[in-house]
Structure formats: C-alpha cells, structure tokens
Amino acid sequence: HVQLVESGGGSVQPGGSLTLSCVASGYTLNRGCMGWFRQGPGKDRERVATIMILGATTYYADSVKGRFTISQDNAKNTLYQQMNSLKPEDTAMYYCAATGKGGYCSGRSCFSCFWGQGTQVTVS
C-alpha cells in the first residue's frame, strides 16, 4: 500500500521561506518521476518542481525558478521542496506525487501517479 504524506505547509509573510517534506511508504522514491504540484484557489493544478530519475532531469515551473529547490533523501525515502522568497501567488495546496507503473510527468500533471493528501501554503 503506497502512501505519500506531505508536511511543512503553513502561513508565512511575503519573502518568507518554508520547506515541504513528503515521506513515502510502500514506495521507493528513486524511480520514474516524482515531485511537487500545486493548486491555488480558482486555478488549475500545475507542476511546480519534479525530478525525473532517468536522465537525472529536474524541472521547475518558470514562476518558481531561482526560488524553489527540489531534493530527495533516499535513505529517508523523503522528497523535499525548499521554498524561498515566497509570494502571495504561491498560495496553494501543495501535493507530492510519484509515478506508478507506466506513469510519467508531462505538461502540468503526473499521469498514473500516486498522490499525497496535500499541505496548505498561504502567503499573505
């Protein structure tokens, strides 16, 4: 049974920082595509930052480049996202996702993926 559990969200002022964590159980975070997605109020879900293990490719949305950093700790089976210089437009529910069998990340989403329950980030 695969579980992805996010934590680290909260309320911060503009310019502040937060670090999100995603702990995986029943799943090894070192394959396929894994990363962070978000959905703000009244907005579609978007891909924020992902790591594609094959080719060691890292993706960042243009809106977060230079401010967010995705990383992983294989020993802890945990994915992180360091978020600096937060802006009000970063306010969203943030979800951790990781590909299942045959899954992949493309465009704004993750297909055939496992998802966490989300952690809320509010910047105001």
Side-chain angles (χ1 to χ4, degrees), residues 22-46:
C22 172
V23 179
S25 58
Y27 186 95
T28 301
L29 287 177
N30 64 354
R31 60 183 183 185
C33 176
M34 56 187 181
W36 296 93
F37 296 74
R38 68 185 181 187
Q39 187 165 17
K43 298 181 182 179
D44 292 332
R45 186 172 58 192
E46 65 173 333

Side-chain angles (χ1 to χ4, degrees), residues 8-118:
S11 295
V12 296
Q13 294 182 342
S17 298
L18 286 171
T19 301
L20 305 184
S21 300
C22 172
V23 179
S25 58
Y27 186 95
T28 301
L29 287 177
N30 64 354
R31 60 183 183 185
C33 176
M34 56 187 181
W36 296 93
F37 296 74
R38 68 185 181 187
Q39 187 165 17
K43 298 181 182 179
D44 292 332
R45 186 172 58 192
E46 65 173 333
R47 180 160 57 141
V48 178
T50 55
I51 297 174
M52 285 172 273
I53 301 305
L54 187 63
T57 304
T58 302
Y59 165 93
Y60 291 98
D62 288 342
S63 58
V64 306
K65 283 179 181 176
R67 300 188 298 122
F68 290 13
T69 303
I70 188 171
S71 62
Q72 63 186 110
D73 184 332
N74 289 336
K76 296 182 178 179
N77 216 28
T78 300
L79 188 70
Y80 301 98
Q81 180 165 271
Q82 174 68 41
M83 306 185 297
N84 298 325
S85 302
L86 283 162
K87 304 175 181 181
E89 52 263 43
D90 295 318
T91 294
M93 184 71 79
Y94 283 73
Y95 298 91
C96 173
T99 50
K101 185 178 181 181
Y104 58 96
C105 294
S106 179
R108 299 171 66 91
S109 195
C110 187
F111 298 89
S112 296
C113 292
F114 300 104
W115 294 88
Q117 82 289 348

